[in-house]
Amino acid sequence: MTTIEARRSAHQFDLGPARALVCRECGNEVPLAAEFACSECFGPLEVGYDFGKITRAEIEAGPRSIWRYRNLLPVPSDVQEHPNTDPGLTRLVKADRLAAALGVRKLWVKDDTGNPTHSFKDRVVAVALAAARQLGFTVLACPSTGNLANAVAAAAARAGWESVVLIPSSLERAKVLTTAVYDGALIAVDGNYDDVNRLATELAADHEDWAFVNVNVRPYYAEGSKTLGYEVAEQLGWRLPQQIVVPVASGSQLTKVDKAFRELGELDLVEPTPYRVFGAQATGCSPVAAAFQAGHDVIQPVKPDTIARSLAIGAPADGPYVLDTVRRTNGSVEHVSDEEVVEAIRLLARTEGIFAETAGGVTVATAKKLIESGQLDPDAETVLLITGDGLKTLDAVQDKVGPRATVPPSSAAVREALGL
Amino acid sequence: MTTIEARRSAHQFDLGPARALVCRECGNEVPLAAEFACSECFGPLEVGYDFGKITRAEIEAGPRSIWRYRNLLPVPSDVQEHPNTDPGLTRLVKADRLAAALGVRKLWVKDDTGNPTHSFKDRVVAVALAAARQLGFTVLACPSTGNLANAVAAAAARAGWESVVLIPSSLERAKVLTTAVYDGALIAVDGNYDDVNRLATELAADHEDWAFVNVNVRPYYAEGSKTLGYEVAEQLGWRLPQQIVVPVASGSQLTKVDKAFRELGELDLVEPTPYRVFGAQATGCSPVAAAFQAGHDVIQPVKPDTIARSLAIGAPADGPYVLDTVRRTNGSVEHVSDEEVVEAIRLLARTEGIFAETAGGVTVATAKKLIESGQLDPDAETVLLITGDGLKTLDAVQDKVGPRATVPPSSAAVREALGL
């Protein structure tokens, strides 16, 4: 028995309300462990819970972070005592000016750029770290092309863990710097993201103390996305929105927001009012939108070609579950061009003062398209998820925005430039 | 009578608890207005208050932003009903790993990178906007070289106001983009920051509806910095820290944190325990540290030459008040080299997962120097203010950090690179 096996077998995991891992395909249940695929049918495993009674007051009295929802997550009850990035409780912004521009009545923007490394990935990584600590791991790892790399390197640094982050060597210098600064083991791989992903799976199999957040602890990691749904409901005053637009990469986030809304209803934390879930993709990587529009159940993989790199997953693992969710809730999946993405980034910035990364542009542009095509009801209250920060994807806007004028240092020159 | 004069004279300003503007030099009081210099002695004007009774419970029941402190700020009681960026309530991080590295017992990092445009400037601009709206202004403006430009352009966009932002034309492309994206009137001036600043003063005199946040509405703007002090005290469980290290540019922030701590004590919101305030500057722009160390009361202006550009104010307006504050509280002002700044950015990142801009590096490096020189008590609880984000000053670290290795796409190559 290796050290880690001994540690794991001796240890009673405290993963809070988590009961077991449940196969999403065949329903087979296995004990909580560092597993991600069903041994019966190879379907993906998901965390199943025994929640018990949870009250609004209990949550509201909790910390100002995702840990206020600890009794709804696979983390120990003392999770906030261990060093972690403690993300969450980001702003829900009432977006009246954007609403007017889009022609809808009541619109909210959930602004996840306020997280510690400025994307929603801090949520999933924080939950992965908390669960990985219980499961006996000692190294935090991931393959990534950006936001996830930042979040893993920062969380590991904060916890005092080693990290191993694998990136394609072609990654933009800014994204390399914002990961490398945390001083983990950042390894550039001469290959594309598929190569990097394959290496992660191989290394996870060989190094039993390495928690690849989105590979061998993925079931726990993915649950972190539920917190976006919980926060939206709490910040609306404990009720569900009528419509929500969510960007789709692997598709996990969209399905977890839906899971969060259902759980809140089942636990009597909100009235289980109907809601519609919409998925947003970039045309250059829109396999889920294509399957939805063709009425298919199977996703045909694509080779991504879009500026929205954080959504550029050509073979989205949770794509079929996205289709289930949007069909069940009477939503849809749409896609928008890179030009529309850039225009939408600018629209959100000039109407609400929020500078989103390209994925946020996809969400706003998709909302616009859904309204124009009559799929999204302009009279129903709508929430848009902005999951990452424009500071990380400056390239997208660099040819479109700049100073209105460059003038000599005189106030007359400034006035003239302003047409005064 | 011009339109704006008519609007102003007809209007009873609601600036909450603000009573008058008070000269910091001669004590002369004038009615609340868009004034910034004393008509008697040309001293700087500051907001004076009649607070009345304020309770912790009232504050805790308020919004999750600086507006929970609205009864301590020159803003109307319904401030949160008007569109603004609603910054604040950023994380106070218990920094045990940084504490161990620095050799202190109890250390906290106030991480203001979580604000809407990722610096403390969102706080001062939000208060300036709220006050400017009451004072009858219709355009939000500033001269800036970075963080302030972002904050003004974003807040104006959110409010639906026009903005005029003046920058030196030599400003880095990234900072230009992160301002221009909000689509206000961004004007690049062929000149240095002094030229830009002079233009702002000229234009403020000529355009009575333009609120230059750091010029003609500066007394209100500056009060926003108090919220950093309020939050530290509330997040510590309604008590004051024993020591706090604050970066010094104009010096306003340091004096306002002190003002916040004093107010909380006077209002019985905290026990008025003694605290020491320390100022942090970069050696390449350290006029306040020089005056402190020489025992002078007057600041000798310098020509800035440091990578910490957000602190590069060679003639700091509030320098004398910084000297008063640190002397009164038994603190000091220290300065650190650009090399120490970069090392400190990296130290904070690898111990706590927080990536600060150069100003944050100045704060951490100064804390280290203060500890090593025995000025800061390693057994007393200490707070460091991190006021801006490393994503905006990537240049500072770009030659120092990077991937540990670049390898071919094989797991054997990754293991070899990691020495396994």
Side-chain angles (χ1 to χ4, degrees):
Chain A
M1 192 183 276
T2 66
T3 319
I4 196 163
E5 279 169 353
R7 198 159 62 233
R8 282 175 184 160
S9 69
H11 193 74
Q12 185 64 37
F13 306 139
D14 177 3
L15 289 169
R19 182 191 73 240
L21 295 176
V22 184
C23 176
R24 287 171 84 167
E25 288 301 322
C26 73
N28 183 40
E29 289 205 5
V30 296
L32 295 168
E35 307 282 340
F36 57 104
C38 177
S39 54
E40 302 289 318
C41 76
F42 302 105
L45 295 174
E46 184 175 49
V47 177
Y49 298 91
D50 282 331
F51 283 128
K53 179 73 189 155
I54 297 171
T55 66
R56 293 179 186 177
E58 212 171 279
I59 292 170
E60 288 168 353
R64 285 193 202 99
S65 70
I66 59 169
W67 304 136
R68 67 203 283 110
Y69 308 109
R70 63 192 177 281
N71 293 330
L72 294 157
L73 296 169
V75 298
S77 52
D78 68 346
V79 62
Q80 71 270 37
E81 306 301 319
H82 301 281
N84 205 320
T85 53
D86 308 336
L89 225 60
T90 55
R91 301 187 296 166
L92 182 71
V93 176
K94 189 147 186 300
D96 292 346
R97 280 167 44 76
L98 180 60
L102 294 178
V104 300
R105 221 164 50 81
K106 206 163 186 184
L107 186 68
W108 301 86
V109 168
K110 178 67 173 168
D111 176 14
D112 239 14
T113 67
N115 278 320
T117 70
H118 309 319
S119 86
F120 88 100
K121 290 291 186 186
D122 288 317
R123 299 174 181 272
V124 283
V125 170
V127 173
L129 170 61
R133 193 181 263 128
Q134 287 294 315
L135 294 166
F137 291 98
T138 58
V139 175
L140 208 62
C142 72
S144 172
T145 62
N147 285 328
L148 183 59
N150 295 172
V152 163
R158 166 92 179 124
W161 283 32
E162 290 297 313
S163 66
V164 177
V165 173
L166 308 176
I167 55 171
S169 58
S170 60
L171 199 61
E172 305 97 305
R173 191 153 174 71
K175 287 185 183 161
V176 175
L177 293 175
T178 54
T179 304
V181 73
Y182 301 108
D183 207 31
L186 175 63
I187 305 292
V189 175
D190 281 330
N192 58 26
Y193 182 67
D194 287 338
D195 294 318
V196 171
N197 225 349
R198 177 179 50 76
L199 287 185
T201 307
E202 286 175 30
L203 288 161
D206 290 352
H207 295 272
E208 54 188 8
D209 51 347
W210 292 14
F212 274 91
V213 296
N214 51 347
V215 181
N216 51 344
V217 293
R218 187 174 180 86
Y220 307 96
Y221 161 91
E223 293 294 288
S225 283
K226 291 195 306 182
T227 60
L228 268 165
Y230 298 147
E231 289 182 19
V232 165
E234 182 181 350
Q235 291 172 320
L236 286 175
W238 293 109
R239 58 185 180 78
L240 303 181
Q242 292 171 281
Q243 303 178 135
I244 188 164
V245 185
V246 186
V248 173
S250 75
S252 172
Q253 184 178 92
L254 183 146
T255 66
K256 295 300 181 181
V257 166
D258 171 57
K259 190 181 183 187
F261 285 175
R262 281 184 288 130
E263 286 173 350
L264 292 178
E266 287 160 10
L267 290 164
D268 283 330
L269 289 164
V270 300
E271 202 187 320
T273 50
Y275 58 87
R276 301 169 68 202
V277 181
F278 296 84
Q281 296 205 297
T283 303
C285 183
S286 51
V288 186
F292 176 81
Q293 286 164 16
H296 295 162
D297 291 333
V298 174
I299 311 287
Q300 193 72 36
V302 300
K303 196 165 175 303
D305 177 20
T306 168
I307 57 169
R309 295 197 201 179
S310 62
L311 301 182
I313 298 184
D318 288 291
Y321 305 113
V322 169
L323 295 175
D324 289 350
T325 302
V326 299
R327 284 170 181 153
R328 176 170 47 76
T329 64
N330 195 27
S332 69
V333 189
E334 259 298 355
H335 61 90
V336 289
S337 71
D338 285 0
E339 292 69 32
E340 289 172 301
V341 170
V342 174
E343 279 313 300
I345 289 172
R346 298 180 64 191
L347 175 65
L348 177 64
R350 78 169 169 265
T351 54
E352 300 298 341
I354 297 171
F355 183 21
E357 66 163 15
T358 44
V362 170
T363 301
V364 173
T366 297
K368 184 166 186 280
K369 189 169 179 179
L370 289 166
I371 294 158
E372 288 167 358
S373 60
Q375 297 176 75
L376 204 137
D377 178 358
D379 291 323
E381 186 171 41
T382 303
V383 173
L384 309 183
L385 294 192
I386 300 301
T387 54
D389 202 291
L391 268 172
K392 298 195 196 176
T393 58
L394 286 176
D395 294 357
V397 297
Q398 72 179 352
D399 297 329
K400 300 284 185 173
V401 307
R404 199 164 287 188
T406 301
V407 301
S410 89
S411 49
V414 173
R415 273 195 287 269
E416 195 188 326
L418 294 172
L420 299 174
Chain B
M1 192 182 279
T2 66
T3 318
I4 195 163
E5 278 169 354
R7 198 158 62 232
R8 282 175 183 159
S9 69
H11 193 74
Q12 185 65 37
F13 305 140
D14 176 2
L15 289 168
R19 182 191 73 239
L21 295 176
V22 185
C23 176
R24 287 171 84 168
E25 289 301 322
C26 74
N28 183 41
E29 291 206 4
V30 297
L32 295 168
E35 306 284 340
F36 57 104
C38 177
S39 55
E40 301 289 319
C41 75
F42 304 105
L45 296 174
E46 185 175 47
V47 177
Y49 299 91
D50 282 331
F51 284 128
K53 180 72 189 157
I54 297 171
T55 67
R56 293 179 186 177
E58 212 171 279
I59 292 170
E60 288 168 353
R64 285 193 203 100
S65 71
I66 59 170
W67 304 136
R68 67 202 284 108
Y69 308 110
R70 63 191 178 280
N71 293 331
L72 294 157
L73 295 170
V75 298
S77 52
D78 68 346
V79 62
Q80 71 270 36
E81 306 301 320
H82 300 280
N84 204 322
T85 55
D86 309 336
L89 227 60
T90 55
R91 301 187 297 166
L92 181 70
V93 176
K94 190 148 184 298
D96 292 346
R97 281 168 44 76
L98 180 61
L102 294 178
V104 301
R105 222 165 49 80
K106 206 162 186 185
L107 188 67
W108 301 86
V109 168
K110 179 65 175 168
D111 176 14
D112 240 16
T113 67
N115 277 321
T117 70
H118 309 318
S119 87
F120 89 101
K121 290 291 186 186
D122 289 318
R123 298 174 181 273
V124 283
V125 170
V127 173
L129 170 61
R133 192 182 263 128
Q134 288 294 315
L135 293 166
F137 290 97
T138 57
V139 175
L140 208 62
C142 72
S144 172
T145 63
N147 285 328
L148 184 58
N150 294 172
V152 164
R158 165 92 179 124
W161 283 32
E162 290 298 312
S163 65
V164 176
V165 173
L166 307 177
I167 55 171
S169 57
S170 60
L171 199 61
E172 306 96 305
R173 191 154 174 72
K175 287 185 184 161
V176 175
L177 293 175
T178 54
T179 304
V181 72
Y182 301 108
D183 207 30
L186 175 64
I187 304 292
V189 176
D190 282 330
N192 58 26
Y193 182 67
D194 288 337
D195 293 318
V196 171
N197 224 349
R198 177 180 50 77
L199 286 186
T201 307
E202 286 175 30
L203 289 161
D206 289 351
H207 295 271
E208 55 188 7
D209 49 348
W210 292 12
F212 275 90
V213 295
N214 50 348
V215 182
N216 51 344
V217 292
R218 186 173 182 86
Y220 307 96
Y221 161 91
E223 294 293 289
S225 283
K226 292 195 306 181
T227 60
L228 267 164
Y230 299 146
E231 289 182 18
V232 165
E234 181 181 352
Q235 291 172 319
L236 286 175
W238 292 109
R239 58 186 180 77
L240 303 180
Q242 293 171 280
Q243 304 177 133
I244 188 163
V245 186
V246 186
V248 173
S250 75
S252 172
Q253 186 178 89
L254 184 145
T255 66
K256 295 300 181 180
V257 166
D258 171 57
K259 189 180 185 189
F261 285 175
R262 281 185 289 130
E263 285 173 351
L264 293 178
E266 287 160 11
L267 290 164
D268 283 330
L269 288 164
V270 301
E271 203 186 319
T273 51
Y275 58 87
R276 300 168 69 201
V277 181
F278 296 85
Q281 295 205 298
T283 303
C285 183
S286 51
V288 187
F292 176 80
Q293 286 164 15
H296 294 162
D297 291 333
V298 174
I299 311 286
Q300 193 71 37
V302 301
K303 195 166 175 302
D305 178 19
T306 168
I307 57 170
R309 295 196 203 178
S310 62
L311 301 183
I313 297 184
D318 288 291
Y321 305 113
V322 169
L323 295 173
D324 289 349
T325 301
V326 300
R327 285 171 180 153
R328 175 170 48 75
T329 64
N330 196 25
S332 69
V333 188
E334 261 296 357
H335 61 90
V336 289
S337 71
D338 284 1
E339 292 69 33
E340 291 172 299
V341 170
V342 174
E343 279 314 300
I345 290 173
R346 298 180 64 192
L347 175 66
L348 178 64
R350 76 168 171 267
T351 54
E352 300 299 340
I354 297 170
F355 183 21
E357 67 162 15
T358 44
V362 170
T363 301
V364 173
T366 297
K368 185 165 185 281
K369 189 169 181 179
L370 289 167
I371 293 158
E372 287 167 358
S373 61
Q375 297 177 75
L376 204 137
D377 178 357
D379 292 322
E381 187 171 41
T382 304
V383 173
L384 309 182
L385 295 192
I386 300 302
T387 54
D389 202 291
L391 268 171
K392 297 195 197 175
T393 58
L394 286 176
D395 294 357
V397 298
Q398 72 179 352
D399 297 330
K400 300 283 185 172
V401 307
R404 199 164 286 188
T406 300
V407 302
S410 88
S411 49
V414 173
R415 273 195 288 269
E416 197 190 325
L418 294 171
L420 299 173

